[in-house]
Each structure stands twice: as C-alpha cells, then as structure tokens.
Amino acid sequence: MGRIGGTGMTDLIFYALSALAIWSGWRVFRVDSMIRATFALMVSFISVGGIAVLMSADYIGVATVFMMAVEMMVMGLFMVMFMMNPAGLNPMQMVHQYKFSIGAGIMGFVGLTTAVLLTNFPDNPLPENRDTLRDLGIELLGGSMLIFETAGVTLLATMVGAVALSSRRGRFGDSDVGAAPPGLHPGGEPAGRKVEKGGGHGGHGGHGGHQMMAEKTKPNSNDDPHEGHGNMPEMEA
Amino acid sequence: MLTLAILIPFIGAMTLAFMPKIERETARIIAVGTSSLSFLLLLVVWAQFDTGAGAPAFQALTEIEWIPSLGVAWRVGVDGMSLALSLMSGVLFIACTAWPMENPERPRAYYAWFLFLEAVSLGLFLVLDLLIFYVFFDLSLVGMFFLIGRWGHEGSQRAAFKFFIYTLAGSLAILLAIIGLVLSVDPITFDMRALIEAQPLAGMDLRGGLILLGFVVGFAIKAPLFPVHTWLPPAHVMAPGPASAILAGVLLKMGTYGLVRIPFQMMRETFADYALPLAIIALASIIWGAVVALGQTDMKRRIAYTSINHMGYTVMGIAAAGALLNGSEGAREMALTGAVVEMVAHGLITGALFLIAGGFWTRSKTYELDAFGGLANVAPRMTVAAVIAAFASLGLPGLAGFVAEVQIFVGTFAVFPWIAAIGLLGILITAALFLRLLQQVFFGDLPKAREGFPDVGLREGTVLAALLSLVILIGVYPRWLLDLIGSASSAMIGG
Amino acid sequence: MMLWLLPLVPILAGAIIATLGDRSRLSLGIMTVATLGTTLLLALLGVSQDWTATLVWTDVIRLSAAFVPVSAAVAIMVPTVALAVVFHATQNESKSGLARLIGLMILFTGGMELVVVANDLLTLLIGWELIGACSWALISHKWRKLDNPQSGLYAFVVTRTGDLGLFAALMALFTATGSFDYAGIQSLGGPLQWIVGFGILFSAASKAGQVPFSPWLFRAMAGPTSVSALLHAATLVAAGAYLVARLHPQLAEVPGFEATAIAIGLTTALAGGITGILQNHAKRLLAASTSAQLGFMFVAIGAGYPSIAVLHMIVHATFKAPLFLSAGIAGDAAGTYRLDRLRLGRELPVVAALTIIAIAGLAGLVGSGGGWSKEEIIKASEHTGFWLALTVMAGGALSAIYATRFQLLAYGRRDKDADSRATSAPGWVALIGIAALTMMTLTLSLLWFSPVAETAAAALDTTLPKGSTLVFGLSLLFVFTGIAIGVYLVRYHPALGATGPAAIASDWLGLPKLIDIVLVRPADAIAVAAARMDDRVVDRGIRGTAACGDWLARTAAKADDRVVDRGVRGTAVFGDWLARVGNRFGEAITDGIPEASARLTDMIGQDLRRLQTGLSHHYYAYIIGGVFAIFAILVVGA
Amino acid sequence: MPIGDLAPEIAIIVAAVFALLFAALAPRRLQAGSAIIALAGIAVALALLLLQLGETRFTFSGTWALDGASLWARVMILLATGFCIMLSPDWFRTDPRHGEYYAILMLAALGAMTMAGAGDLLQLVIAVLLSSVTGYTLAAWHRDWALSVEAGMKYFLMGALANALLITGIVLILGLLGTSGYQDIAIALKLGKGLSPLLFVGFAMTITGVAFKLGAVPAHAWLPDVAEGAPVPSAAFLTVVPKIGAAIALARVVQLVPPEFMNLRELIAVLAVTTMTLGNLAALRQDDLRRLIGWSSVAQAGYLLMAITVLGLSPNALTALLAFVASYAIGNLAAFSVVAHLRGRTALGDYDGLAVRQPVAAAALVIAFLSLVGIPPTVGFFGKLTLFITTIEGGFLWLAVVAAANTVVSLYFYAHVMGRVYFGTPTGDVAVLGRLSGLAVWVAAIALLLSVIPVETALSVFDMSRLLPL
Amino acid sequence: MTLTAILIVAAALFGIGLFGALSQKSFVMLMMGLEMMLNGTLLAAVGFWAFTLEGAPKGQLLAVLVMAVMAVELAIGFALVVAVYRKRQADVIEGIGTMKQ
C-alpha cells in the first residue's frame, strides 16, 4: 500500500485523526455556542483533511483544510452578524425532533456500517508512484473537462444568485424595493396568504417544547407531525 | 358526408362561441339550423344506405390518416345500428335546441354547448376508430358537465361533479380496456373494422376477461346499470330539461352502443363467456330501476330511474345476443335488433318525457309530484303528450317502446328464459308507476297554486308532436327502422 | 292488406274524434254511426271476401290477420254491438269530455277488432294491450274524481299482470318455432307448450274477469255506463273468452288445459253468480254476472266446444250491453245504483220493457237467445260429465236469480204511497241504442229454431252438441226455480243485496242479524216455526238457502275482496314498500359506495395534506425515511 | 475537444452573460431588454440544437450524451424557458433588477439541459447543482415578499440535503463500480459487478437526489411551496423545466440497470404510485390555486415515473416519456400563465365566475386543466394515452389501473376549479397583468389544442429517438 | 488503515451530520449538519480513490466535486439566510412555516 500502508505509525495517526474528527463532529451539535460549534466543525474537517493527506491525496487534503477554514470563518462571521446568542452566553435548546434525529443518525451510521461490512470491495489500491496532482490536472482539462466547465458555470451562477439575493443596495437603490409580485389589483397587495411578522426567532425564550414527539413510526406514515407542534412561533404571534 | 355531419354542428358551436353579438333568437335559429342541416346530411346517407344481404357492413366510409404510428386515423362510417342511433340523436338535438330554454341565461353559450354535444354525439356514433371514439366519449362528459353545472337548477354543481367524476372513472376503465385490446393486435391499430375482423382476444381467458371487465364497467357506468347508476338521478334532476333529454336520450346510448360495438363485436368469444352475468346485471337493473322509480316522489327522478330500467332491457338484449348459443341465431338477432330499437325508442320517448318534465320546471320550479294534480283541467295538450309518452315508455303496443321490448324479450327468452321471464315484471311495475305518475299529476283536483299553469305552447307542442309522432310511427310501422337495424344485427350475429 | 282497415278505421277515426273537442250530441252520433257503420261494413265485406293481411316488420316478425269462422262471427258482432252502445253513449253520457269518450270507445272497438282478426300472437298482443290501455282511459274518463283514475290504474295493472302470460307465451312460441303464428302452437311440445298454453289461459282469464282476477271488474264500474256496456259486452272482457275460443284448436292438446279452463270457468260461474245475487249495486250485479257468464264460456271451451262459447259470447253481448245501458239510465234517473232504491218501472216503462227482453237472456229463459246458448253449453258440458252439466245448471239458476232480482228491483213498481220522483223519461233518440240491442237479442231468439241454429253452427264450422232431454228438463227446472227464488227474494228481501261486500249502506245491519239468527241460533228458529209449519218450512228452506248462498257469497266475496284484492293490493303495497325501501336504503347503499369512497379519499387527502406541515425538518424526515424505504425495497428485490 | 457538440449550451451561456452585462449597464426602464437577449439566445440555441438532429453518440469522453432524448428534452426546456420569459417582463415590472433574472433563468435552463445530457454521474451531480442553485435564486427572487423568500429557503433546505444524498450515493456507486461513465457502469452492472448492500445504498441515495429535482416522493415537499410562494414565472419554470431534465436523467440511470438486476423498476413503480396518489390527494381540498397546481405537478411527476418504470420493458417507453413530459409542460405552463396573467390571483374563491369577467383566461385555465386530467382532444390526452399504452405493454397493468384511479381523483379538484370558474358568481373586477402575459395565455391555450395536430410527427420523431447508453 | 475502517469513520461522520441536519432548528446549525454529512462523503470519496480506484483521477475529481457542492450550497445558503432574516427576522426552521398543507 505504498506510502500509506504498513507502518503502524500511519495507522495510529489515522485512528487518532478519525477519533478527533468524530469527536469534534459530535461536539458541533452539543456545544452551547455557535462559535464553538463552528470551530468544532473546522477541527473535524481538518482531521478529515489529515486523513486524506495520509492517503496521499495531498491536494485534496490541503484543499479541504484551506477551504474549510475559510468557510468556517465566513460561518463564524455570520453567527456574529445575525444570530442571537453567538457566544453561547445563554444556554439554549435549539433542537427539534430530537429523538427521531438521534435515531436516524444512529440508523444511518449502523446501516452504512453494516452495508460496508457486508460489502466486498474491489482491491485496486493506489499505485506506488502515481503523480496524483498531475492526474487531476489532466483529468480536469481532459476527460472531465465538461464537468469542470459546468462547475465553473455553477460557480458563476452561485455568485450572481448570492449577490442577487443578499445585496443590500444595487444600482437602483435599495435592492428590496419592488422585489415583490404585482398587486392583485394595480397598486394593491399581491395575492397569497399573509405572513405574521416577526415570526420564528430561535433564541426567544427557548422553546424547549419544540422537540418533535418521538416519531415512533416511520416518518412517511400518516401520523401527523403537526400535532407535535402545538405552539408554532407564528401561531403565537 | 359523415364528417360533414359531425363538423357542421361543431362549426355552429364555434360560431356561437366566438361571435359575441348574437342574440338569443338568432342563436337558437343557428342552433336549430345547424342541427337540421347535419340531420339532413344523415338522411342523405340513409337514403344511400344499402341494407341488402350482400351489402358491406360499414358504408359511407372515409378515412384520413392521423397518427399512423399508433394506428389511429379519422375513420367514419356507418352500419345500420350507428346510422339509426345517429339519426335518432339528430332528431333529438333538433328537438332540444328548438325547445325553449329553461334558464334563459347566456343563450349563446348554451346553444354552443348543445351543438358541441351534438357534434360529439354524432361523432361517437359515426367514427370507426377506437381512439376517436374514446375522444368523443370523454368530450361528451365535458359538454354535459358544463350544461348541467351552468344551466342546471339550484345546487346542480354537485350533481355535475358527480356525473363528471363517476363517468370519467368509467371512461378510464374503457381507455385501459381499449389499450389492452389494441395491444393484442400487431401492428397496433385502433381501426374498429380491423379489430372486428381480427377478434384479437379469442382464446385468451384471463386477459380477455380483464379487458371485458374494463369495458363492461365503463359502459355500465355510462349506460347506467345497477349498481353503478347512482350518478344518474341527481344529474337528471339538476339538469335543465333539454339537457336531461340529451343525457337520457343520447348519452346513455353511448354506453350501450359501445357495449355492442366494442366488446360484443370485437371480442365475441369472451363476451359470450360472460353473457350470463351481464344478463343478470341487466335484470337487476330492470327490476331495481323499476322498483325504485315507483318509490320516487320527484317526477324527474322517477323518469330517470325508468331509464335505468330501460337500459336494463337493452343490455339484457345485448347479453342474450352475445351468448354464442347454437341454433338460436334468429332469436339472438332479434334480441340485438330489439336492443338497438330500444336505444332509438328510448331516446325519443325519454327525450319527450324529460322535455315535458322540463316544462314543469319552467312553469312551477318544482318536480315534486305532490305539488301537482288535476293539470288536465288546464293543460290538456300537455296531458295528451304525457300520456302518449308514458304509455310508450311502459311499452304499449302501437308505440315505439313495444316494438323494442317485445323483440328483446322474445330474443332473450330463447337464450336465458328465466331472466326474460323475471324481467317481465319490469314491464308490469313500469306500467304501474307511469300510470300513477299520470294520475298524480294530471288527474284529480287542481291545486290552487297551479291554476295559472300554462299549457304547452306552439313551439313546445310542435317539438313534442314531432317526437311522439315518430314514436307512434315506429310503433305501428317499424319496418323502415327494423330493416336498417336488422341489416346491422344480422351481420353481427351471422358474421 | 285490406283487412288492416278493419281495426285501423275505428282506431284512426277514434283518435281523431277524441281530439276534436266539444261537439254536439248529434254530430257525435253521426260520426259514430259513420265510423262504426263503416267498420261493420268492412267486417261484413272482409268476412265475405275472406280478407287477410300481413304487415312485415322484419323477415321474422310479420303481423298477420285472417279470419277463421270463430273470429269472423266475433268480428261482425263487435262493431254491431259497439255501434249501438256508442251511439247510446253519444246521446246519454254527460257532456263533459264526451268527444273524448266517444273517440276512445271507437278506438277501443278498433283495438278489439285487431284482437279478433289477429292471426299471430304478436298482433294479438298488440291489440290486447291496446284495449287494456283504452280501458284505462275509459275507466278514468271522469278523471276529476281521483277515484276513477285509481280504478283505471287498478284495472290496467291487473289486466297487464295477465298480459305477462301472453308475453310469456309469445316468447316461448318464438323460441320454439321462430315465428309468432298461431299455427305454430300445435307443433309445440314439452314445457314450452305448457308455457304457451297456460300463458294464454292466464292472460285470457285475467281479461275475462275470471277468479281470481274478478275484482277488477268491480273497480271498472268507475267508468261511465256505456263504457261498462262496451267493456263487458263486446270488447275487453269478451276478449278473454274469445282468445281461448279462438285458440282452442291449437291449445286443446296442452295437457291440463281444458281441465283448468273448466275449473276456472266453473268456479267463476258459481262465485260470480252468488256475488251477483248478493249485490245491491246495479252495475256490480251485472259485472258479477259477466264474470259468471264468461265462466260458462270457459266451461264450454274446456268442454271442447269453443264455437258454442263464441255463440254464447255473441248472445251475451247483445243482452248484456242493453242491460248495462239500462242500468245506466236507471241510475241516472234515480241518482243511485242501489237496487233497492230504484223500482223505476213507472217512470221508465219503455226502458223497463226493453230490459225485460234482455234480462230474459241473462236469466236463460227458454226462447231467449241467452237461454239457447246456455242450454247448448249445458249440453256441451254434459259430454264431459253429468256433474258438470249439473253444476252449470246450478250456475244457470244463480243467473236466473240475479236476473230476476235485477229486473224486478230496477223496474218493478213501487208502492203507491211512495214519493213520486221527478224523473223525465229519456227521449226516443236516447233509446235507439238500447232498443237496437234489444232487437238483436230478440233476433237471436231465432236460434231456438233449429235450422237457424244449424246455419249458425255451420257458419262457425262446427256442429251443435246433442243433449239429453233429461238434462234439458232439469235445466228448465233450475231456471224456473231460480226465477222463483228471485221473485221471492225481491218480494221478501228487497234489500238483500245491500249486504253485498262492496256496498256500504245503513240497512246492511238487518241482514247480518238475520243470518245470525238463522245460522247461529237454529233452535230459536225452529221454535218459532212450530206455529206456522208450512210457511216456516218453506220460509226456512228459502231462508236457509239464501243464508247459505249469502254465506257462500260472502266467503267468495271475502276471498275475492280480502284475499285476492288484498293479494293484489298487498302486492302493490309490497311493491310500494320495496320501492320506498329501495329508494331509501338500497340507493343509499349503492350510492354509498362511491360516495363513501369519495369521502374516504377526501379524508385521506386531508390527512396527507397535514403531512405538509410547512416545517422543513419534517420534510427532512420524509426524505431520510424515503431513503431508508427505497433502500429496503431495493434490498428486498435483490 | 468537440466544442461544436456543445454549441447550443454555449449559446445559452453567452446569452446569459450578455443578459447579465446588459442588466448591469442598461438603465432601469430598459431592464426588460435582457428578456430579448435571452429569447435571442434561446432562438439561436434551438437552431443549433436542430443541427444535432439524428446524432446518437457520447461525446466529451463519455460525459455528454447526444441522443434523441436529450435533444428533445433540451428543445422542450428551451421552449418552456422561452415561454416563462414571456411571462416575466410584465410580472417583474416593479422590480428594478430584473435584468439579472433572465441571466439566472438562462443558467437554470442550462442546468436542466445538462441534466438531460449528462452521460456521467459526476456530470449529473454538477448539473443538478447548477440547476438547484439557480432554482433557489429564482424561487426567492421576490426578496421583499415573505412567501417568496420562504419558498426559496425551503427549496434550498430540501435541495441541500438532496444534493448531499445524491453526491454521497454517487461516491458509493463510483467507489464500488470504479467508474462514473454511464457506458462503463452499464457494462459493469451487466456483468454483475459490485452488487452489494452499499451499492443499493448508493442507488437509493442517487434516486432520492434525482427525485428531488423531479418533485417526486420522498423529496417532493418543496414543490407546493415553490408553486405558491415563488414569483409566478419562476414557479412555472421550476415546476416544469428541471423536471424535464431530471426525467431524462433518471431515465438514463434506470436504463443502466438491467431489469433482472435489482427490482429498480418495481421501486420506480412504487414511487410513481406514491407520488401521484399523494399529489392528488393533497390537492383535493386545496383552496389556493397555485398550491393546487403545485400539488398536481407532484402528481404529474408520478405519472411521469410510469414511463420510466417500463423503460426497457416496452419499446415505446421513451416515446411515452417524451410525449408525456411535453404534454405536461404545456399544460402546466398554460395554467401558470393564466395565474400570471391574472396578477398572481390565487385564492380559489377569487376565481368564482371568472368566465364572465375574463373568458379567455377562464377558457385557457379550463383547457389546461382538462389537459392535465387527460381529457381529449387536448395534448394531455395523448400524453396519458401513450403513457398508459406503454405501461400496459410493459406489463405493469396494475400501475396503469392505479394511475387511472388517480386520474379520477385528480378530476375532482380540477373540476372543482372549473366549476368555480364557470358556475360561480363573480365578485368584483379582475385585473390582468399586461399584453405580453395575455399573449402568453393565448399561445398556451392554442398550443394545448393545436398540438393535437402534430401528434403523429411528434410521436414518430420521439419514436426514432434513442436513449444513451443503449 | 483499511478501506473498511475509513468508510466506517465516514459513516460515523455522515450519521452525526444527519443527526445535526435533522435536529437543528437554526438554519446555520442545520447547514453545519449538512457539511458534516458531506465531510463523511468526502472521506469516503478519498478512501475509495485510494483503495479501489487505483488512484484514478476521477476519484480526486469526485472529492473536488464534493467540496464544490459544499461551497456552492453554503454560499447560496448564506445568501438565502440573509434574505430570509432581513425579510422575516427568522433564523430557525420554525420561522418559515407559513406555507403548509
């Protein structure tokens, strides 16, 4: 197994990184503060990046680390900008359908693990002296050029879209002005249901009761999830 | 020629729909005119129709390619059965458009829908392509849906919905069955003549049975037969009189016509296997329709239920004709002829009855039998018309219904004696219920509220007289009709 | 083809006259004479030329008409009698709707002619049902009173029930032979033959008012008197007997046919006779007598002498029609049909005289046409068995009783101290019809001359039965006994009939008490009788007979009224109930299935819609659940 | 690199970029000019597409499939997009920035086109991503309208999870089969390689991911929300165009799997039944027209899956798929065009007696609904007809029966709307949007009726189409 | 370090992410859950690349695509979060439950 295989050291690092990735991943949803959650996620990503490097996917590993670092920064920024309680000053209960989620998570894990264990994988390991980075370059501009190009277009679209959705001011003044459907009668209100303002702030008063009633049955069954939510935010308002 | 007969009312409908400036009278004149024109064309076809023994089954053929990859084409042509039915429809449409509107709103659209329905109905009887048959079958639902919903009485929407949804369920069953049928020929074709020729399902038990089931369910809903008839009474009660007349007179026939044309003709063996159950269903309809009709207190509902009874006779005749019993060709042919005559006769008779009932609504906004009495005092002409129509409906000799029923019963007896024998009860009950209806409405004391009840006017009178004289003509000297229909039924039984 | 004219002329003319609207009596009379006269001429012409006709409907369905001797005779009789009756109607019936009445009566005659000339079952059925429908219209003639249409309905439904037999016969005949011709009936065998035979008999019995269908005849009295006259004499009722007579050659082979015919006829003759005796309603008495007389005809047919039956029918027509007409005149004059209130001999002497001629026939007196044909029937039945002849004689005696009663009560003279009633005797025009009919009856008395009778028999292509003198003597004895009893009854028990089952009158109460005394407390009666032995013996004998008869009649009437009538009514009620239940529950169920499935769909739809909570995490749950489910399906399939 | 094979797509990109630039430079009142650019781009792309007629091959190293299916799907996508563009200028008249809308719309169309043409799982992922990202934007375009942002957000949330699942699934498939090109996968599966629980997981996730684009169960929940909340032109677009691409994409994936290999077809059949039933039942009592159309388009996705079910079992499955997709697209677009023309009127109560006030719009709506039910002679009938034929031919009679029963259910709510439109009593006037949207209504209604005439042509060209990999 | 081990770790990460995506109210936290799922996917992709694909470049491309998906979704997601927050002052799932049924 080339560079990866054989040595106990690699294994050790792998297990350590794996443990770190999983633990920090778990912490993401257990900490009180979003900032901490962000950092935990970052740690998890970096661990995965490390594992990738271990597997001689240097480029991918490094890219992961960098990209995720940047991403997490952005995310942290958002926390500060918008979110209530960014620093975790107040303990908060920000989960719903908790038991179902736990169940689904465990089921997902167990199921995937079982599937993995039951599967005979083809054994075509990475050749010893493969220039993986060069491979990638050739692939991107060769066989998979179209995919790469489409990805480029996608990024363009993402940028345009993100700007269109989030810019505060544009060339014609406040971007929000006029960004609404035509009124049902000229100059009137648009058709459609009306929204109660000020709905749904997660931080308010800790809606501890938001946990979904444990969904014992399959979620697609007829059992009515609605009832679990006797007090939806907009209903209060 | 036939294409034109279909097209003319359609063009009339479009004219009415898209010309905003047309007044009510003009609209009616256009409607009557186009229906008459189309009827004239059918008469010409009839004049040229050869009923001789060696004549081809389908005549006046036209075929225009449409979707060759599916084997679909605009194919029109007539045999005796379809010609008779389309002629009857033509007459009834002229009558119904000439009849005064019951709810005088939006006359342009009203007559446009009538002409549309006429085009569709004639088309259904005249086409020889299963797909286009289905197209017209569905369109008839649409047309009737709007007529009932828009010009019907208070609360008619619900009835219209029920009618639409119920019968669409039936038509989808037919669609599936049609697909099953055409898929069993190679290459796929919707040509009725080719399918009749091919008898594609001979010897296929389960598949044939399923396809037959689809057809029977679909046509039974449309006909309608017990126990899938419950859409009919509300639809009739809520519909304006002329629409009821069309519904009962023409649209119900689509069910029985389809039953003959498709399963009966195209899958003879399978049909024969299931002829007895079908006859039993028909018998149930006969008895049930009559018995329930007797229990009605609403005039239109009562007439509506007799339709179920009469369609029961028709289907009984068809079932008997379809049983491939050896040695009874004569009887089976007679049963089939009777069934088709019943379609024609019922169309004219029930058409007249519903028009009369519609007249009651126009005059007094109710159908409750108890609300009337002694009308013979003030409306003798209406009484006469109602009496003739009622007697025709209960199968009195000398009137059209008898010619049909006697043939059905005689023919059926040879095949299913017990069913025919029990079915006779229907005749008796119908007699009682119609006489009681007459008695309740026309005889006895005239209630105060009805003292100003106007008799039928000139226009109504002419329409009724025309319909009823046809009924009498068929009853007394039906040879011209029987020749026409017999040419078809002998071909169907013999070939 | 010409033969079609025979039914067609009156049918068309009748239809036209019916729609003409009000016309004067004179013009209606002229029209009637013209129309029915033409019909009669056509009938004569047709018979003499032996016309036939066919009308092709299809290759297999041909309507055909032809004469056989029996039908020829009836074909002539019908318009003749009808002419007189209808003419009478034009002059005597109330003005309102008279044209319609006359038209329908003429139409009715035409329908009857169709029945008569029919040469196949289908044609027959057409005429058969047509006269049924006409009878409905005629009985309902005075439709403003709801009773009348109800009676019409009753009559029509009962007779149509009978028609089902004809339908069945028709179906069976065609199934067996592939045609409707009468000729085919002979070739039948097995159950189909049975169906044809009994179907026809059933049908005929219902029209002829035989037990158990008799009650409709009473209800039919709701129509105007002329209608009753026509109905009973020449058309509807007679059609029943005619049919069996006409088809006797074909049906005689059917096992049990003749015996059944005799049984029906005999039962009806006796029950009808007794009912007639007990009736206090003039028209109903006559109606019951019609049943009884037709019963005789059935017996004759059953005995194998259809021609005799036809002869009796003709004779019966000629005397029954004037009787009804006369009853109508009397009823009009007295304002009631209660026999015990009539006694119009003084006021209506001419009518009384005419009636006496007719009544002689009903009573079966020697010398009257009715008497002759009744004797022939007795002779005919003697061939089957003496007991039968005896029973028929008894029936004859009953006829004599009620005939006497009718005559004496209706046209007897009242006590001088009774109030004189202001009745105007009808003018001579009004009596032409009845007089003509009476003349016919008189003419038919000629049948007692054997050459005439032989000629008639020859015309009917038959020979007269030979009877023993003993039987003839006995029969005479019976008749005279009957008359005597009748006279006695009238004299001593004028109100006897008032206890008839259908009548409701105050003096009813007397007779039940009497019966009570006679039947329940015989000891008392014997004790009283000790003083005046003679008188009492006779008295008691007669009373006893009367009581017996009364009891029998009551039983019969009860059977008729309660059992049969209730049976019919019960069936109707049951049908009604079934209809209502069917309407309410059956329809609820049949409709409930689609409706309920619609509602269920709707409910599921509502529930499913609530799955769309608007909350994305639920949607997430659906997706994840979906992945699990899809995986599961894939695994299961692998 | 055979750039020519991508000519239509490039034309679209160029048009999108030009539209974007124009929007950035043009003054406010000329913003609608972008629409003209976009339409021009579509016209050019259509012309270029027709040059590809008859091609059946992979290009770009197997990542791009040029075949009849993708060709006609792309034609439909472009026509539908063009139609949505017709609705837009009037709708966005108040929005100063709507020039950019057309750029996004073009890119979204491109996303759908690349879905239809994807010949490689990776290409499929990125195509779905492109389509999704632009879709979110289109749905949330009315930033100042609460429902629109809610719709966009929900769409995004669903999409993010679905895409995560999709790519995970693809990772698994790729990992187990060693290739992502369809040709190679087909060969590998034919040889029975990699058959393992993990592969099932991979397929399960992939199908869920595509089902999201299709609006099928289990990832259907966004559709009614988008139909209700998104700007009507976007709603029209999003309920139609991505589905066209996704249908072809899913068809390709299903085609990869030999019928005897796993019961993928039965699975699709189950999804079809669930989807159509759910959609129809949920629409039953809907009192908001846009939402009703949304649910109905969930149901239509179920019908669409019928054709995919019998792919490879019936020779006409692809024809039926294309025919049905086309008929559905026309019907749905027509319905939305009416809604747009009526200024987004959506409460069913507001449609009472529409026939009196706006006869043309009412007629168009009714025809559209009749077409969606499948009542002849609208084009929807032929869609359903071919669908039923092919389903029965493919041996899935029960599926056809269920679908027929579903059609009956669907008639209930469609007829309910028709009833209101024609039998109701009108209240107040009905304002309309503008001439262009009125024209769109006319176009749609006429298309619904007249497309009956070229049915034969359509069916025969669809018949000649092939779906790669063969 | 075997493929199985890697995949199990990936499964664990995926499971945790799934839990997060299902259970978190806040949009941002929910997105973190999604990221976590993709994190697992990324690991699996690299694992496959290294152990079963002979280091075929497609594997790396796949990993890149996973990252692209992450980045793109995140970017547009944040834009939407901003838009929603601005219009509706909502930052949790429960805040956008207007459209239902």
Side-chain angles (χ1 to χ4, degrees), chain B residues 158 162 166 226-231 233 287-288 290-297 301 305 308 330-331 334 337 374-378 384 387 391 394-398 402-403 405-407 409-411 413-415 417 420-421 424-425 427-428 430-432 435-440 442-445 474-480 482-483, chain C residues 8 19 55-61 63 122 125-134 136-137 140 143-146 149-154 156-165 167-168 170-175 178 180 192 195 572-573 575-595 599:
Chain B
R158 207 183 125 68
K162 189 167 182 180
Y166 214 140
F226 177 83
V228 287
H229 61 278
T230 52
W231 61 267
I287 303 293
W288 186 259
V291 167
V292 177
L294 190 61
Q296 297 302 321
T297 57
R301 274 183 92 87
Y305 274 106
I308 297 167
M334 186 179 275
T337 311
L375 288 183
N377 279 310
V378 283
V384 171
V387 167
F391 272 109
L394 64 83
L396 190 77
F402 174 78
V403 179
E405 278 156 35
V406 80
Q407 294 195 64
F409 276 114
V410 167
F413 186 81
V415 184
L424 281 178
L425 273 181
I427 291 192
L428 190 62
T430 336
L435 290 186
R436 198 179 280 183
L437 180 130
L438 293 176
Q439 174 184 315
Q440 250 167 315
F442 293 105
F443 303 140
D445 294 325
I474 294 175
V476 175
Y477 186 66
R479 182 171 185 186
W480 48 279
L482 293 181
D483 268 356
Chain C
L8 213 56
T19 50
L55 180 70
V56 180
W57 278 10
T58 69
D59 295 342
V60 273
I61 309 176
L63 306 185
L122 186 60
L125 183 61
I126 293 176
W128 195 253
E129 292 244 286
L130 212 55
I131 54 177
C134 287
W136 171 80
S140 314
W143 47 263
R144 283 183 179 78
K145 214 172 135 231
L146 207 51
Q150 271 162 4
S151 300
L153 190 152
Y154 184 90
F156 185 62
V157 171
V158 172
T159 50
R160 200 162 209 225
T161 311
D163 294 354
L164 298 189
F167 263 103
L170 186 80
M171 299 192 298
L173 179 62
F174 185 85
T175 303
F180 298 115
L192 289 177
I195 293 176
V573 168
D576 239 24
W577 174 83
L578 192 68
R580 223 168 298 130
V581 168
N583 184 32
R584 218 173 283 156
F585 300 105
E587 283 302 279
I589 291 167
T590 38
D591 198 33
I593 293 164
E595 287 282 341
R599 206 158 301 144

Side-chain angles (χ1 to χ4, degrees), chain A residues 19-57:
Chain A
L20 182 64
I22 293 170
W23 177 80
S24 57
W26 179 239
R27 287 305 296 164
V28 171
F29 303 107
R30 302 306 301 166
V31 293
D32 282 347
S33 137
M34 282 201 192
I35 295 291
R36 284 183 216 161
T38 313
F39 281 107
L41 182 63
M42 198 163 82
V43 170
S44 182
F45 268 110
I46 290 171
S47 312
V48 169
I51 298 175
V53 174
L54 270 187
M55 288 184 287
S56 37

Side-chain angles (χ1 to χ4, degrees), chain A residues 160-186:
Chain A
V160 177
V163 169
L165 289 178
S166 60
S167 71
R168 260 177 203 281
R169 292 189 63 78
R171 227 157 38 92
F172 307 114
D174 189 335
S175 304
D176 280 351
V177 171
L184 188 53
H185 294 280

